Amino acid sequence: MKFIIETYGCQMNVADSELIISILENYKSLQPEEMFEYTEDINQAQIIIFNTCSVRENAERRVLGRISNEISRKQRDRSILIGVVGCMAQRLGEKLNLKSNKRGIYPQIDFVAGVDQYEKLPEIIQECKKKHKFIAQTTFNYDENYTDLLPSRTNKLNAFVTIMRGCNNFCTYCIVPYTRGRERSRPVEEILKEIKQAGEEGYYDVTLLGQNVNSYRYEDINFPKLLQRANQIDSIKRLRFITSHPKDLSDELIEVMANSEKVCEHIHLPVQSGNNEILKRMNRNYTAEHYISTIQKLRNAMPNIAITTDVIAGFSGETEEQFMDTFNLMKEIRYDFAYMFKYSERSGTKATEFKDSVPEKERLARLQRLIDQQTIITTEKYKQKIGCVEEIYVESFSRKNANLLSGKTRDFKITVFEGDESLIHSFVKVKIIDAVGWTLKGKLIADD
Ligand code: SF4
């Protein structure tokens, strides 16, 4: 049975999709003709799985739109199964299927599996197929860490390694603790084994994943110690991690980052707001002053570190003055890049109880002011790279210009340059000669 997975949302979902492919492909209790086989061609797929995101309402709407497109395929071939996994599956469960619940969305959805139920997917799919009945399994299992499972990687060059699952922070705007459950860290040795193997298979750029990697702890190993050990693995060349929570980013971590040659000079550190009252309402557990001092420490230890962030404009109760604190903080810090959003309520989160929402028009206007300022800063930051020599991990031909190769600097900037196809999957030195938008242009320089 051929299956395809369409993945939405964050890198955690990308990693989970790779895990699901591995679980299905390695499921042996089937007749050979019934074995699961991954395909990237939806026309060949008999099982279509949507790995979904619930962070924003928009993300859910997009997936529902895609599911509705695929329902017409199912109407032509009734043997096709449609399944939903991930955060939206966890949030809505059986409500996704009208047959089992009158408030449902699509009766054509055949199965729903929550984030801790992926190991049961082979049985769920089989039962669904044999009995022609809808199945939803969304119980949390806080012991589930998908131990001893190696993902089937779909990305050819970069490996994402999940080090922990879930989140305990309950930021008041965020649905994640409700869709991913409580925090649990994977065993150290298992993570290190997975990183080593990824490197041996040619995935030289490894990103460690977790909702809040800074609070990783397994027995007496915290995140800095894990990073230190990962840095000693010979088979990899670059190490990254997302996402960091400012309240848990320790001096110890900064020291390890600065002294570990494989750890790249980039950190994504979501600030969300530059105003202490709003940060408190968001339940972020740090102040703007603490955040700024953390950035200073990072820059003192690694002067060339690139810093990126997430920001919310127009959170409930945000006044113009409070918004200006965010605007000014971004101006002061000068991020390399920022993911900026207007606040949008997620039902089920604490923030929906706040009754003083900022009018939609004002949220959008504030967002636009942040975007305008950040665009100027990002452009200036990229221009500052002109004349620098950068190490590039060559990933592919450029999507915009097939005559150019494309890769990333250590500080996560896309760089394009002329070169031979044989350079793909290698590390080269490139002199930056221009910056256009958010892409660097470079010239290959010969090795000494
Ligand atoms: S740290 Fe906050 S924003 Fe991040 S996943 Fe947890 S609750 Fe959501």
Side-chain angles (χ1 to χ4, degrees):
M1 280 188 289
K2 291 196 175 169
F3 68 96
I4 190 168
I5 305 190
E6 236 177 74
T7 307
Y8 294 83
C10 63
Q11 295 303 344
M12 289 290 287
N13 268 8
V14 175
D16 277 0
S17 288
E18 294 179 343
L19 198 65
I20 291 169
I21 296 171
S22 167
I23 290 168
L24 290 174
E25 287 198 322
N26 291 306
Y27 187 72
K28 303 288 181 224
S29 316
L30 288 170
Q31 297 300 320
E33 67 279 8
E34 289 183 316
M35 297 282 277
F36 295 107
E37 187 189 332
Y38 176 66
T39 176
E40 288 183 351
D41 178 1
I42 198 155
N43 295 312
Q44 303 244 327
Q46 292 145 295
I47 306 160
I48 303 170
I49 302 172
F50 292 91
N51 190 358
T52 58
C53 169
S54 281
V55 165
R56 265 166 278 281
E57 213 172 300
N58 232 352
E60 290 198 347
R61 253 189 254 125
R62 252 182 81 207
V63 180
L64 289 173
R66 273 294 297 129
I67 295 173
S68 112
N69 290 344
E70 292 313 322
I71 281 170
S72 57
R73 187 185 299 273
K74 189 177 165 73
Q75 279 159 351
R76 291 193 299 275
D77 177 355
R78 299 196 70 79
S79 70
I80 288 177
L81 296 181
I82 295 183
V84 182
V85 302
C87 290
M88 199 172 153
Q90 192 68 52
R91 195 174 86 79
L92 294 171
E94 61 177 25
K95 290 181 199 157
L96 280 161
N97 174 289
L98 190 63
K99 277 181 284 188
S100 58
N101 184 318
K102 292 231 163 357
R103 286 170 297 154
I105 295 168
Y106 290 122
Q108 296 88 346
I109 291 172
D110 297 287
F111 62 92
V112 169
V115 296
D116 292 337
Q117 298 294 330
Y118 298 154
E119 290 207 69
K120 291 195 191 138
L121 265 174
E123 287 96 357
I124 292 175
I125 295 172
Q126 271 181 299
E127 200 182 334
C128 207
K129 198 165 175 69
K130 282 189 187 126
K131 299 190 179 159
H132 302 286
K133 67 167 192 181
F134 168 73
I135 299 174
Q137 291 205 11
T138 54
T139 317
F140 279 125
N141 172 7
Y142 294 146
D143 293 329
E144 179 58 273
N145 243 331
Y146 298 106
T147 34
D148 292 333
L149 278 170
L150 286 169
S152 294
R153 304 200 186 281
T154 46
N155 177 315
K156 307 276 185 291
L157 299 158
N158 307 298
F160 296 100
V161 175
T162 302
I163 64 165
M164 60 195 299
R165 305 181 71 83
C167 181
N168 291 348
N169 287 312
F170 289 93
C171 301
T172 55
Y173 53 82
C174 182
I175 194 78
V176 169
Y178 307 95
T179 59
R180 294 232 158 224
R182 295 296 72 73
E183 194 175 284
R184 51 226 120 123
S185 297
R186 287 180 69 200
V188 181
E189 294 307 330
E190 214 180 280
I191 295 168
L192 297 174
K193 188 172 112 192
E194 190 177 326
I195 298 171
K196 183 169 175 283
Q197 180 163 339
E200 285 164 357
E201 289 172 1
Y203 299 92
Y204 300 139
D205 190 326
V206 170
T207 304
L208 308 182
L209 293 180
Q211 244 73 47
N212 175 15
V213 289
N214 300 148
S215 63
Y216 174 89
R217 178 164 286 275
Y218 189 80
E219 293 169 350
D220 58 344
I221 303 288
N222 62 8
F223 185 59
K225 292 194 174 64
L226 174 70
L227 200 60
Q228 221 166 12
R229 290 196 49 194
N231 184 61
Q232 288 159 8
I233 296 175
D234 290 334
S235 60
I236 60 161
K237 296 198 164 69
R238 288 182 175 184
L239 255 177
R240 307 177 184 279
F241 53 88
I242 45 173
T243 294
S244 288
H245 195 304
K247 75 177 168 62
D248 298 316
L249 201 155
S250 63
D251 292 351
E252 184 189 3
L253 177 59
I254 295 173
E255 197 185 324
V256 169
M257 287 175 73
N259 293 312
S260 304
E261 74 282 2
K262 289 177 187 166
V263 177
C264 291
E265 296 77 18
H266 169 224
I267 191 160
H268 185 70
L269 197 60
V271 65
Q272 308 300 8
S273 170
N275 176 270
N276 289 343
E277 192 54 39
I278 295 295
L279 286 170
K280 205 165 164 194
R281 284 192 129 209
M282 290 176 163
N283 194 31
R284 293 289 289 172
N285 286 304
Y286 54 85
T287 60
E289 293 75 20
H290 173 83
Y291 184 92
I292 290 169
S293 88
T294 305
I295 298 285
Q296 275 160 356
K297 285 181 195 170
L298 282 160
R299 284 185 168 149
N300 288 343
M302 292 160 279
N304 294 324
I305 190 168
I307 298 171
T308 55
T309 198
D310 298 334
V311 184
I312 297 172
F315 188 66
S316 289
E318 185 190 74
T319 63
E320 169 64 20
E321 291 69 35
Q322 289 170 330
F323 164 74
M324 281 309 293
D325 285 344
T326 305
F327 187 89
N328 290 330
L329 176 139
M330 292 181 75
K331 193 172 172 182
E332 180 182 341
I333 289 180
R334 292 180 62 79
Y335 292 102
D336 290 69
F337 187 81
Y339 296 92
M340 295 161 279
F341 304 96
K342 71 171 173 65
Y343 173 60
S344 72
E345 290 86 0
R346 293 304 289 123
S347 76
T349 61
K350 173 90 182 148
T352 55
E353 293 168 19
F354 302 154
K355 297 294 173 218
D356 45 2
S357 60
V358 175
E360 177 72 6
K361 205 171 151 206
E362 184 58 28
R363 293 184 212 181
L364 280 168
R366 288 180 190 173
L367 173 64
Q368 195 55 51
R369 284 157 71 191
L370 293 183
I371 292 172
D372 290 346
Q373 171 176 254
Q374 186 57 45
T375 303
I376 295 168
I377 295 171
T378 297
T379 307
E380 287 170 359
K381 285 265 181 181
Y382 274 59
K383 292 262 185 228
Q384 278 169 12
K385 286 272 176 186
I386 296 173
C388 299
V389 172
E390 296 285 332
E391 179 200 79
I392 308 294
Y393 183 28
V394 191
E395 295 177 348
S396 60
F397 282 107
S398 160
R399 264 189 263 161
K400 290 191 186 148
N401 182 346
N403 296 320
L404 298 176
L405 293 174
S406 173
K408 288 200 189 75
T409 58
R410 280 176 62 96
D411 67 353
F412 212 64
K413 292 183 170 64
I414 293 174
T415 306
V416 296
F417 59 97
E418 281 179 18
D420 189 79
E421 186 175 1
S422 62
L423 294 176
I424 292 175
H425 203 183
S426 69
F427 290 83
V428 297
K429 286 268 162 44
V430 158
K431 182 165 186 179
I432 305 304
I433 53 172
D434 202 359
V436 180
W438 297 332
T439 302
L440 299 175
K441 284 194 168 179
K443 195 171 177 349
L444 194 61
I445 54 176
D447 279 337
D448 296 334

